[in-house]
Amino acid sequence: MARLREDKINEIRSHSDIVEVISKYIPLSRKGKSYVGMCPFHDDHDPSMSVSQDKQIFKCFACGAGGNVFNFVSRYENISFAESVVEVAKICNIDVGDIEIVSNPVNTHLAPYYKLNQAFIDYTHYMLLSGGHNDVLDYLHKRQIHDDLIKKFEIGYNPNEDALYHYLKAKKFKDEEMIEANLVRLTSQGIHDVFSSRITIPIHDRYGNPIAFTARRFGESDEAKYINTTETPCYVKGNVLFNYHRAIDACKKTQRVLLVEGAMDTIAFYKAGIEDVVATLGTACTKEQLKLLKQMHVKVDVCYDGDAAGINAIYKFGKMASESSLVFEVVDNKTGLDPDEIIEKYGIDELKSLSYKTISWIDFCFGYLQSKYHLENYSQKVEYAKEMSIEIERVKEVFLRENYLKKLYEITGFDMSQRAVKKKPVLREISKNIQFRYGEAAEYEILGQMLLSRQAVNVFKNDLGFLIHPVCNQLALYLINEYRLSDTIQAADLLNQIKEEEVKKLLVDLCEWELAPKSFNLEVLKDAIRKIHDKCIEAKIKEMSDLAKKMSNPLDKARLINEIIELRRKSG
């Protein structure tokens, strides 16, 4: 395995297009020389993020996020810088040779829970296949969950009478760990298995670590049909997509991911030979799960159950996904059944065929909202038209948007094509407020000149040598050092060398500064240097004046006043 060399990093950066890469994550639209989009790093409602193709940097003028293509991917994917370099190379089809990044960092705090959960899996899987519980195995086989699927999903069976607890205890696991992992519970009658007499299906994180379980009741009982692991140190339900670690490769091949509700729905599609499928483990998709879906960089086909609850869940998901610009369609399930029920009633081929029958989000809304509003009532028809027009306005393709508005007119009689949504002029207004947050305008001018020319660096070192604001001064040192290695500076590459976040932000600010110098100008540079000199002298004069006021010795005071007069004379 090779290390990531600096020249290789710069090569990947220079051969990637930041607009192309960011467009894989969020929609971008051209605005002048740059592109703009909704910033994914804060709750953005206006396009506050600008992406410069010329400079190969991005900048959000609302929350301040900014950097090069690696910084964007690292922050969006929540991965290391090295991982982001490899990810960018993959997106842009750039050969990285034998570079390999371990994407499953060992979390020493959670490792004991992974080990404990794996022991649970090994035990329950063995109990199911060992021959002692053929009734459970027969039940799964009747549901067409055969041994290959049982092994793939590591399905198991947890017998009654707390057999699991005694097994784990014999393996030297601590009671506290078992309780924290929600494998056993402490009651007034002692410690008992949580998933007693249940068929168990493990849940893994995106790296394949076992973190939780969903379990189906076996046999007749008053208990809930399904129960899941409660929140534990390694599991938060809303942060995980079931089967993500298995599905990711299949999704890259098919360029889509099928989103279903539960683990059994996922397994049902595997019966049909469809493996690009993940589940939310419930009907409500969370923001974290939405983020995981976006990180797959493929189209999402939502295939929730066809009953009323499933249809309502599609609408809730669609509203959230549409607002976050996720690319998705809706599987047109008119059967009223879940995937397993479709197989049972119509066969595997029908489920396979259904998974590719999709409609657009807008077409789904036309039908769904008509069932929610009484269109014979004028007021409700107005609300229907308003809600539909909001969704239609998000459609990027002009011809589709016009056709949807025409259809809305045919249904309601309201022409919503003239409904204008005024956008606040966020970018320009905010940029003026933050452009000098790290120092004086003269310091920005000096740094801007230094970015453009080695000559500016030489003048700076000879005539000044420092900047007042510490962040500005730190960036100046980076620029001086960079010119020792190269005749020119690429800001997008320099960002890879800078460790301090504030210095990175300053460099991005400089690149996006509307008044940044376009070419080296010695006269302008010297004028900016004089301003910094004068600023330093003013500060020194104030410091000496404050000291003079406190002096009691007339001779010392007179000497200090003479020094102040001399400083003022030098400053002109």
Side-chain angles (χ1 to χ4, degrees):
M1 181 179 73
R3 289 188 60 200
L4 277 169
R5 303 187 316 274
E6 184 179 326
D7 59 339
K8 186 65 178 180
I9 292 171
N10 290 341
E11 178 190 340
I12 294 169
R13 208 284 310 154
S14 63
H15 284 82
S16 64
D17 180 4
I18 193 170
V19 172
E20 177 189 344
V21 173
I22 292 181
S23 293
K24 296 282 186 181
Y25 295 86
I26 62 170
L28 295 176
S29 56
R30 182 176 278 280
K31 185 175 182 180
K33 293 183 178 180
S34 298
Y35 291 78
V36 295
M38 299 289 191
C39 177
F41 306 123
H42 75 284
D43 188 15
D44 197 10
H45 299 286
D46 289 306
S48 301
M49 192 177 77
S50 174
V51 184
S52 170
Q53 200 163 36
D54 292 340
K55 300 168 185 171
Q56 288 293 301
I57 62 170
F58 76 96
K59 168 76 178 192
C60 176
F61 291 101
C63 72
N68 62 14
V69 65
F70 303 136
N71 302 135
F72 180 92
V73 172
S74 176
R75 184 163 178 175
Y76 190 99
E77 298 267 20
N78 192 26
I79 56 180
S80 69
F81 175 82
E83 288 176 290
S84 74
V85 174
V86 175
E87 187 65 25
V88 168
K90 288 178 182 177
I91 292 172
C92 299
N93 296 314
I94 299 170
D95 182 22
V96 294
D98 59 350
I99 292 173
E100 181 184 352
I101 302 297
V102 178
S103 59
N104 183 9
V106 176
N107 187 321
T108 54
H109 172 64
L110 299 181
Y113 297 99
Y114 301 151
K115 184 178 179 181
L116 176 58
N117 285 329
Q118 188 58 54
F120 176 96
I121 292 170
D122 294 342
Y123 173 78
T124 54
H125 191 61
Y126 172 80
M127 294 304 293
L128 176 63
L129 297 177
S130 64
H133 300 281
N134 287 332
D135 53 342
V136 183
L137 198 59
D138 289 343
Y139 165 79
L140 291 172
H141 288 166
K142 285 177 183 176
R143 292 194 63 174
Q144 300 186 50
I145 303 174
H146 298 295
D147 290 353
D148 57 336
L149 287 178
I150 290 172
K151 290 175 182 177
K152 181 179 287 291
F153 287 91
E154 299 177 287
I155 299 171
Y157 179 66
N158 186 18
N160 57 12
E161 297 180 355
D162 305 319
L164 170 72
Y165 170 67
H166 296 300
Y167 169 80
L168 294 176
K169 192 73 172 173
K171 297 282 286 183
K172 307 300 182 183
F173 288 105
K174 299 177 182 178
D175 289 354
E176 296 81 3
E177 289 178 336
M178 288 186 264
I179 292 169
E180 283 186 342
N182 195 224
L183 299 180
V184 301
R185 65 168 64 92
L186 179 62
T187 71
S188 57
Q189 285 79 40
I191 294 178
H192 299 287
D193 292 357
V194 169
F195 300 110
S196 178
S197 302
R198 287 183 177 271
I199 297 167
T200 58
I201 304 174
I203 300 167
H204 299 78
D205 64 16
R206 63 185 297 176
Y207 305 113
N209 297 310
I211 57 175
F213 300 89
T214 182
R216 190 190 192 283
R217 182 189 68 223
F218 183 74
E220 296 301 321
S221 169
D222 293 334
E223 294 182 349
K225 187 175 182 180
Y226 283 96
I227 61 172
N228 298 309
T229 300
T230 58
E231 187 167 323
T232 71
C234 64
Y235 175 65
V236 177
K237 178 182 176 182
N239 293 352
V240 176
L241 286 171
F242 176 79
N243 201 49
Y244 185 101
H245 69 296
R246 294 189 195 93
I248 187 66
D249 289 337
C251 293
K252 288 178 179 178
K253 291 177 182 177
T254 62
Q255 285 299 295
R256 74 136 189 197
V257 58
L258 201 62
L259 182 68
V260 299
E261 293 181 24
M264 293 303 291
D265 298 325
T266 304
I267 295 171
F269 278 103
Y270 267 71
K271 296 176 192 175
I274 297 171
E275 299 185 359
D276 53 351
V277 53
V278 298
T280 54
L281 295 175
T283 55
C285 184
T286 67
K287 288 184 178 180
E288 285 300 316
Q289 289 172 328
L290 201 64
K291 187 174 180 180
L292 284 171
L293 289 171
K294 293 180 81 170
Q295 289 173 6
M296 298 179 94
H297 315 310
V298 296
K299 179 173 69 74
V300 178
D301 288 344
V302 189
C303 188
Y304 285 172
D305 295 352
D307 58 10
I311 300 300
N312 289 335
I314 291 173
Y315 180 69
K316 290 177 182 177
F317 168 86
K319 290 286 284 184
M320 185 166 60
S322 179
E323 289 172 2
S324 69
S325 303
L326 179 74
V327 179
F328 72 102
E329 294 175 3
V330 178
V331 173
D332 194 18
N333 183 4
K334 292 187 173 69
T335 66
L337 306 174
D338 66 31
D340 250 344
E341 291 168 337
I342 292 172
I343 290 176
E344 186 177 346
K345 188 169 183 178
Y346 300 109
I348 282 176
D349 288 342
E350 178 62 25
L351 180 65
K352 188 183 296 186
S353 174
L354 176 70
S355 73
Y356 294 99
K357 294 177 181 176
T358 62
I359 59 175
S360 72
W361 163 241
I362 302 299
D363 284 325
F364 172 85
C365 286
F366 270 121
Y368 177 84
L369 291 176
Q370 281 187 58
S371 69
K372 296 298 179 184
Y373 289 99
H374 299 291
L375 298 190
E376 65 275 9
N377 179 287
Y378 179 79
S379 297
Q380 292 204 28
K381 184 163 63 173
V382 169
E383 293 305 312
Y384 170 82
K386 287 181 179 178
E387 187 162 356
M388 280 303 310
S389 66
I390 289 171
E391 296 305 322
I392 292 171
E393 282 168 5
R394 293 195 177 105
V395 176
K396 301 297 181 185
E397 294 85 350
V398 175
F399 79 96
L400 284 176
R401 190 165 62 244
E402 289 175 349
N403 276 299
Y404 287 138
L405 288 169
K406 182 180 178 182
K407 182 176 179 179
L408 182 59
Y409 174 74
E410 291 170 354
I411 293 172
T412 65
F414 298 131
D415 182 4
M416 308 299 285
S417 60
Q418 302 303 314
R419 184 174 182 265
V421 179
K422 294 183 179 180
K423 300 288 186 183
K424 297 178 182 178
V426 175
L427 294 178
R428 190 172 184 84
E429 187 175 315
I430 295 179
S431 67
K432 288 180 179 178
N433 291 337
I434 67 170
Q435 60 184 357
F436 300 130
R437 60 176 162 174
Y438 292 110
E440 302 289 325
E443 291 180 288
Y444 271 58
E445 182 64 47
I446 293 167
L447 290 168
Q449 296 276 350
M450 291 171 71
L451 267 172
L452 292 171
S453 168
R454 179 194 289 273
Q455 186 180 347
V457 168
N458 292 333
V459 173
F460 169 77
K461 288 194 295 184
N462 292 331
D463 293 3
L464 188 62
F466 69 94
L467 292 175
I468 299 170
H469 196 287
V471 177
C472 293
N473 195 56
Q474 186 63 47
L475 179 56
L477 294 175
Y478 273 111
L479 294 173
I480 292 169
N481 185 64
E482 192 68 12
Y483 276 118
R484 293 194 182 104
L485 307 172
S486 176
D487 291 332
T488 59
I489 288 179
Q490 295 291 329
D493 289 334
L494 181 58
L495 283 165
N496 298 331
Q497 313 304 319
I498 298 173
K499 307 302 181 187
E500 302 84 355
E501 285 302 318
E502 292 302 302
V503 182
K504 285 183 180 179
K505 289 177 182 178
L506 172 58
L507 179 54
V508 173
D509 279 357
L510 277 170
C511 292
E512 290 295 297
W513 185 29
E514 294 171 357
L515 301 177
K518 301 297 186 291
S519 60
F520 173 65
N521 187 313
L522 180 59
E523 185 179 344
V524 172
L525 175 61
K526 284 185 172 289
D527 183 60
I529 289 174
R530 278 194 296 271
K531 288 178 180 176
I532 298 300
H533 266 304
D534 292 345
K535 191 79 176 178
C536 292
I537 290 173
E538 287 173 13
K540 184 65 175 176
I541 288 172
K542 185 180 184 307
E543 180 184 342
M544 294 169 71
S545 297
D546 291 341
L547 182 59
K549 291 175 184 177
K550 299 175 183 177
M551 284 183 169
S552 56
N553 187 311
L555 292 177
D556 289 341
K557 191 169 187 176
R559 191 180 302 111
L560 192 58
I561 290 173
N562 284 332
E563 290 179 19
I564 292 172
I565 293 170
E566 182 63 20
L567 278 174
R568 283 178 175 160
R569 187 186 64 78
K570 286 182 180 179
S571 66

